[in-house]
Amino acid sequence: MSFEEMWRDLAPVGRYDATGGYRRYTLGAAELECRAWFREEAAKRGLTLETDRNGNLWAWWGDPAAGDAVVTGSHLDSVPDGGAFDGPLGVVSAFAAVDLLRSEGFVPRRPIAVTAFAEEEGARFGIACLGSRLLAGAISAEKAAGLTDAAGVRFGDVMAEAGFDPGPDPALMAKIGVYIELHVEQGRGLIDIGRSVAVGEAIWPHGRWRLDFTGEANHAGTTRLEDRRDPMLTYANTVLAARKKAAQGSAVATIGKLVCEPNGTNAVPSRVTAWLDARAPKETDLHAVVAEIERASAERAARDETGFAMVNESYTGDTPFDPVLRDRLALLLNNAPVLGTGAGHDAGVLSVAGVPTAMLFVRNPTGVSHSPAEYAEIPDCLEGVIALADVLRELAA
Ligand code: GLV
Ligand code: MN
Ligand code: MN
C-alpha cells in the first residue's frame, strides 16, 4: 500500500461534491468509514490494533507493554467542509513511514505506534482535541460526557453506545515515550523558502468562548425599530468589535459559527448563540483582547436592551514543543526551518501533559486550511514521509 494508494482510498470518504469539502464528524458515517480504513491498514501490516476508552485508534508495531513508545499520527475527523489534508496527512504518512522503515529491514528497539485521535476538531461536540484531552486527563470525564452536538445528543451517550467509557488513561499515557505529529502546514510559512518540510516550534495560546445574546422575538413588519430588543444587532456589533480588538491587540479572533432562533426571515430573533475562537502568540495579549471583546459586547447589549453572556468552553495556554527534540529533529532534517503555528493539535495537548512532542509541517502551496482549498503536492507529501521515517528511525533505533 503506497502513500498514493492509501490517499486514493481515503479521498472519497465524507467528501461533499457540492463544495469539494469534507464532513467527517466523530462517530458519524464518514468518520466510521475512516476508522474502518485505519483498521484495515493496521491489519494489512500485521500491526496490533487497539481502540482506547476514548475512541482513539492505535496500531502497534512491537509490544506496547514494553513502553517508551515512539508514537506518530494525527486525526481523521474534519471541520465542516474541511480540506483533505488536515489530520489524514499525518495518519497516512505514519503508515507510509512504517512501510519505508520496514522495506529497509529496520528493527525498532522501542515500540512504534500509529495513532488517530478522536474529535480533534471539536466539530461535533465543540471542544477541540477531545480524545487526547480525555486520554491525558486534561478534561474531566463528567464535563466531556455532558457536551452535546447540534442535535442535542450527548457525547457520553454517543460514546457509550459505541462501546467506549471516556476518561483518563494514565496507563496508556505512560507508554508514550515521544509523540511526533506530521501535519499539513496551515499558513504560508513554507511557500517562499524553497523547503517542503518544517519542524514545529510552539502552538499559540488559544480558546473558544460561547456568546449568548438574548432578546425578544417580534414581527419584522409591525415592530417599530425603537421597540425592538434585537440580539442580532448586538451579535453583529460583537463581530466588528472582535475584528477591531484583535487587530489592535496582536491577536486573531473569529466568529465562524452561529445559531439564530427562531431563524425566521420575518421575525426579530429571540436568541443568537455564536462562538468566538481567539488566539495570539502571547497569552497576555489573548486575555486582554478577549476581555476587550467582552466589554464591548456588554456595552452594546446595554444599549440594545438585550442580554449578553460569555462563557469559556475550552482554553489552551502557551504550548512550546520540547526544545531539545525540536533542535535535534531540525538538525536531522537538513536544518529544517522551525515554524510556530496558530492552529491547535493533539500534539499540543500531549506536550502540555509532559510528553516530549514534536511536529513536522508539510508545505501547503495555497496557504489555506479548514477549507477545500487546503493542499499539498504529492512530491512534498512523499518528502514528508521520508522526513517522518528519518525521525522514527532516529528515535526508535
Ligand atoms: C484545529 O485545527 C484548530 O486549530 O482549531
Ligand atoms: Mn484542523
Ligand atoms: Mn489537524
Side-chain angles (χ1 to χ4, degrees):
M1 265 287 150
S2 67
F3 177 94
E4 288 97 323
E5 285 170 308
M6 286 189 276
W7 200 250
R8 198 190 51 215
D9 286 351
L10 212 42
V13 183
R15 185 174 185 277
Y16 271 70
D17 285 341
T19 60
Y22 287 86
R23 299 178 186 181
R24 294 168 172 163
Y25 305 136
T26 303
L27 298 175
E31 200 254 10
L32 287 172
E33 223 180 297
C34 292
R35 287 170 174 272
W37 168 86
F38 185 101
R39 285 196 298 272
E40 282 164 27
E41 294 305 319
K44 280 177 203 162
R45 293 169 174 81
L47 305 174
T48 308
L49 186 93
E50 186 188 349
T51 307
D52 69 23
R53 63 184 295 188
N54 296 303
N56 305 312
L57 298 166
W58 303 77
W60 290 94
W61 177 15
D63 180 7
D68 199 23
V70 179
V71 180
T72 183
S74 191
H75 60 98
L76 294 169
D77 64 320
S78 78
V79 296
D81 283 330
F85 295 83
D86 179 355
L89 183 64
V91 181
V92 169
S93 299
F95 281 122
V98 165
D99 293 345
L100 189 58
L101 292 175
R102 283 176 157 182
S103 72
E104 296 168 354
F106 176 74
V107 180
R109 296 186 52 190
R110 300 162 71 176
I112 291 180
V114 176
T115 187
F117 285 107
E119 182 75 348
E120 192 272 350
E121 299 287 7
R124 181 163 179 194
F125 291 102
I127 293 192
C129 301
L130 192 54
S132 58
R133 280 185 210 266
L134 278 160
L135 165 70
I139 182 173
S140 75
E142 295 69 33
K143 180 174 177 189
L147 298 172
T148 52
D149 68 8
V153 181
R154 290 174 77 254
F155 178 71
D157 295 340
V158 170
M159 291 295 275
E161 206 170 299
F164 301 124
D165 168 31
D169 198 336
L172 182 53
M173 276 296 283
K175 289 178 190 156
I176 309 174
V178 59
Y179 181 63
I180 310 294
E181 180 166 355
L182 178 147
H183 205 278
V184 69
E185 220 276 286
Q186 294 175 286
R188 309 183 58 83
L190 286 170
I191 294 181
D192 300 320
I193 59 175
R195 297 291 297 252
S196 50
V197 177
V199 173
E201 172 151 53
I203 295 178
W204 290 6
H206 58 284
R208 296 180 180 189
W209 289 261
R210 195 185 71 240
L211 314 177
D212 290 298
F213 305 92
T214 50
E216 183 181 49
N218 212 332
H219 196 288
T222 61
T223 317
R224 295 187 311 166
L225 294 178
E226 55 270 38
D227 292 340
R228 297 179 184 209
R229 290 174 47 228
D230 184 351
M232 189 64 89
L233 212 52
T234 319
Y235 156 77
N237 190 73
T238 299
V239 176
L240 300 177
R243 170 69 188 228
K244 188 167 153 191
K245 303 298 180 191
Q248 290 169 345
S250 307
V252 290
T254 307
I255 297 182
K257 175 176 169 180
L258 93 148
V259 175
C260 172
E261 294 169 46
N263 212 21
T265 308
N266 52 356
V268 175
S270 57
R271 170 184 283 270
V272 173
T273 308
W275 283 264
L276 170 72
D277 177 310
R279 313 182 189 212
K282 286 202 205 127
E283 213 164 348
T284 45
D285 289 340
L286 178 59
H287 289 307
V289 164
V290 170
E292 280 288 297
I293 296 169
E294 184 169 22
R295 196 185 52 72
S297 304
E299 264 176 36
R300 179 71 201 202
R303 275 170 56 196
D304 295 340
E305 294 181 60
T306 52
F308 167 68
M310 177 159 158
V311 286
N312 176 248
E313 290 198 332
S314 62
Y315 185 78
T316 307
D318 263 325
T319 308
F321 293 120
D322 185 308
V324 176
L325 183 61
R326 175 197 69 204
D327 292 348
R328 181 174 164 200
L329 300 193
L331 197 64
L332 176 75
L333 301 176
N334 194 18
N335 288 319
V338 177
L339 297 180
T341 178
H345 301 283
D346 298 303
V349 173
L350 294 183
S351 182
V352 168
V355 176
T357 297
M359 288 193 75
L360 303 182
F361 296 123
V362 171
R363 176 163 53 194
N364 173 352
T366 67
V368 175
S369 186
H370 285 185
S371 143
E374 177 185 279
Y375 191 61
E377 301 278 359
I378 287 287
D380 283 351
C381 295
L382 299 179
E383 287 288 323
V385 171
I386 292 168
L388 182 58
D390 287 346
V391 168
L392 300 181
R393 192 188 306 102
E394 164 93 357
L395 297 174

